[in-house]
Amino acid sequence: MSQRDRSRTDTYEQDIVAYAKRKRDEEEDEARGEQEQQLAKGVPKARPGIQDIDLDLIDEVIDDSEDRALTDEVLAKRRQAMAEFERKKIARSIATPTDDKLVKEQLRKHNHPICLFGEDAGDRRNRLRYILSKLAMEQRASGGRDAGDDQAEGMAMEDDDAMDEDEVQTEEFYTEGTDELLLARRDIAVFSLARARARTERQREDCKVDLVDVRKRRQDLVKRLDSYSNYGSQVGDTRPISRVLFSPDCQSVLTGSWSGAIKLWDVPHCRPIRTFCGHTDRVGGISFHPRATLGLGDETADFASGAADTLIHLWSLNKERPIAKLQGHQSRVVHVQHHPNGAYLGSASYDGSWRLWDIASQKELLLQEGHSREIFALRFQCDGALVATGGLDGICRVWDMRSGRSLVTIEGHAKEIFGIDWSPNGHQVATGSADNTVRIFDMRKLGSVYQIPAHKSLITDVRFFHASLSPSAKRDEARDMDISDDSEAPCSDRLCDGQYLVSASNDGLVNVWSAGDWKLQKSLAGHVGKVMSVDIASNGSYIASSGYDRTFKLWGPEEF
């Protein structure tokens, strides 16, 4: 009904009501007069007329007739919204496979296409969950299975025949590990306990330092950070440089680029030393052995790298070709890092898993899933007992290397996590995300203790300052690792260990933050476009960054 027709109808109905009211008043006056005459003559009371009609009821009937069509439409929308709310509630309780192959099989079983244009594994899994929730709603409407039973809703994936339990995982499970993994876990447990004991002893000694001295050292550190500027810049490759890393002796840096090339440069002159060729696609992660350039023997690889060709290469600094290859990942390898004891290597990949490798035997010890989307970052705790992984699902998981359990699921970021690092204190984790924030999580409190609005664009990398150990501590560590050490790397003030954090972002900035109060101390601008990686020399001399502009830069205090 148009607005004009409705207004005409309203006017017509209002005229009817007004006429009825006038007619009632006239009849009431006439009836009153006749009644008085009839009563005087002894005539019975006349029958009721129009004056007995309830005009308020007429108004209500008119309003109901006008709004009936609108009410039906609103009710239909409300029913639809409630049905969608119930479907989403059911969808949250449905357990779908994390293996993309199983997801495709389930889609095929329900007569749906296994792949749509522009759809990735995560989108395909969400589509399967939507389809299963619709099936659960239809079964509920037809009086089938009880939709309130979460287990029944999760098994809505089944056809008329029961589905194989191995294809759908509805609860936490454990798989039996190999004997090699058991020995590795024991080795890691012994190593981590010794490291944790040494760390707590150093922290007790640091607590004995006079507060005035601590405050003075911190003021000197803040003043020094404020003086940082661009010390050197070098075009490193023909394609963006995705990773930069200082060597343990702080005398050189490694860069990895999207061309697949890895190059070694001297510090601080940024002169090329050697180019390593082996990868055929984008280099995603580089990791030095903890004792590389500090007396490591020739029998052990100096560094490792992972790339989009799904391969992990082990390298010697004296050879331009890889000395070994680790194969197993099904997709792009985006991050690798050596375990602090140097015997094992961790890797994170877009295949949704992170893996642990034995470097000596070049065997895969562990394949661990747990993220609903691709894993982008992996970092070991300084003691070696824990490892943190972050992915495109916006979640950071902390795993116990000694037992294999997932200890904590850290939530809070609204978008993907691209950078993770542990503080040298052993209990704080920093995560950088595409929501432009850096979050500080405390393992003792099992929650976030601070959120830094760090940049204006997504954060690609975060790094705490890890100070060099003293020469005596290095000798103790070398003895624990059964590695000789006659060299002494530059050693910075231990009280500055973990006292500042550096973040890199696509906004082109490298920001330096003081730990504790998490205040911005210096913003380093120089890259043209995205900054893709950042690292800090263990002697505190320089900060290195690499970017989409194909350059890597060294940042240092003015005194240098």
Side-chain angles (χ1 to χ4, degrees), residues 218-392:
R218 188 174 179 87
Q219 291 175 350
D220 294 341
L221 174 63
V222 171
K223 183 179 179 180
R224 186 166 177 269
L225 293 175
D226 187 61
S227 67
Y228 267 59
S229 61
N230 191 349
Y231 183 86
S233 179
Q234 180 66 271
V235 176
D237 200 77
T238 58
R239 298 204 64 193
I241 299 179
S242 55
R243 196 66 62 179
V244 63
L245 186 68
F246 280 102
S247 62
D249 64 358
C250 305
Q251 299 300 310
S252 57
V253 293
L254 273 177
T255 60
S257 77
W258 279 8
S259 67
I262 301 174
K263 298 182 180 181
L264 183 68
W265 310 79
D266 77 332
V267 174
H269 303 293
C270 301
R271 291 189 293 250
I273 300 175
R274 184 170 287 107
T275 300
F276 304 91
C277 300
H279 288 295
T280 59
D281 206 340
R282 294 162 293 175
V283 175
I286 303 175
S287 174
F288 268 110
H289 189 284
R291 303 298 301 172
T293 69
L294 295 176
L296 182 67
D298 296 335
E299 66 278 1
T300 304
D302 292 303
F303 69 95
S305 63
D309 55 11
T310 73
L311 298 177
I312 299 173
H313 288 172
L314 302 180
W315 307 82
S316 169
L317 289 174
N318 299 321
K319 298 180 180 179
E320 297 182 352
R321 304 296 297 182
I323 59 176
K325 295 181 181 179
L326 305 179
Q327 299 182 3
H329 282 293
Q330 302 300 314
S331 187
R332 172 185 175 190
V333 180
V334 290
H335 201 94
V336 295
Q337 192 196 13
H338 281 82
H339 188 271
N341 70 357
Y344 309 104
L345 181 74
S347 61
S349 171
Y350 266 29
D351 60 11
S353 70
W354 68 270
R355 309 190 185 209
L356 186 68
W357 309 82
D358 187 327
I359 296 178
S361 63
Q362 301 172 15
K363 291 183 178 180
E364 177 186 300
L365 299 178
L366 174 66
L367 186 157
Q368 182 66 62
E369 296 179 332
H371 290 266
S372 60
R373 294 189 63 187
E374 297 87 342
I375 301 178
F376 199 91
L378 175 145
R379 295 292 291 183
F380 287 104
Q381 183 210 31
C382 54
D383 297 338
L386 307 175
V387 61
T389 58
L392 304 189

Side-chain angles (χ1 to χ4, degrees), residues 460 504-510 527 529-533 545-548:
T460 55
S505 170
N506 278 2
D507 61 8
L509 298 178
V510 176
H527 283 282
K530 309 170 185 177
V531 182
M532 306 180 70
S533 176
S545 61
S546 64
Y548 199 80

Side-chain angles (χ1 to χ4, degrees), residues 67 86 113 128 134 141 147 186 189 192 212 220 233 256 289 316 338 357 425 486 502 512 540 548 554:
D67 297 337
E86 186 67 21
L128 175 61
K134 294 290 287 186
R186 290 176 177 173
S192 62
V212 176
D220 294 341
S233 179
H289 189 284
S316 169
H338 281 82
W357 309 82
N425 61 26
D486 298 325
V502 177
V512 184
Y548 199 80
L554 294 181

Side-chain angles (χ1 to χ4, degrees), residues 64-83:
D64 290 343
S65 62
E66 288 180 355
D67 297 337
R68 185 173 294 112
L70 294 177
T71 302
D72 294 341
E73 182 180 356
V74 171
L75 288 176
K77 291 182 178 179
R78 289 179 180 176
R79 293 191 190 99
Q80 184 179 1
M82 289 300 297

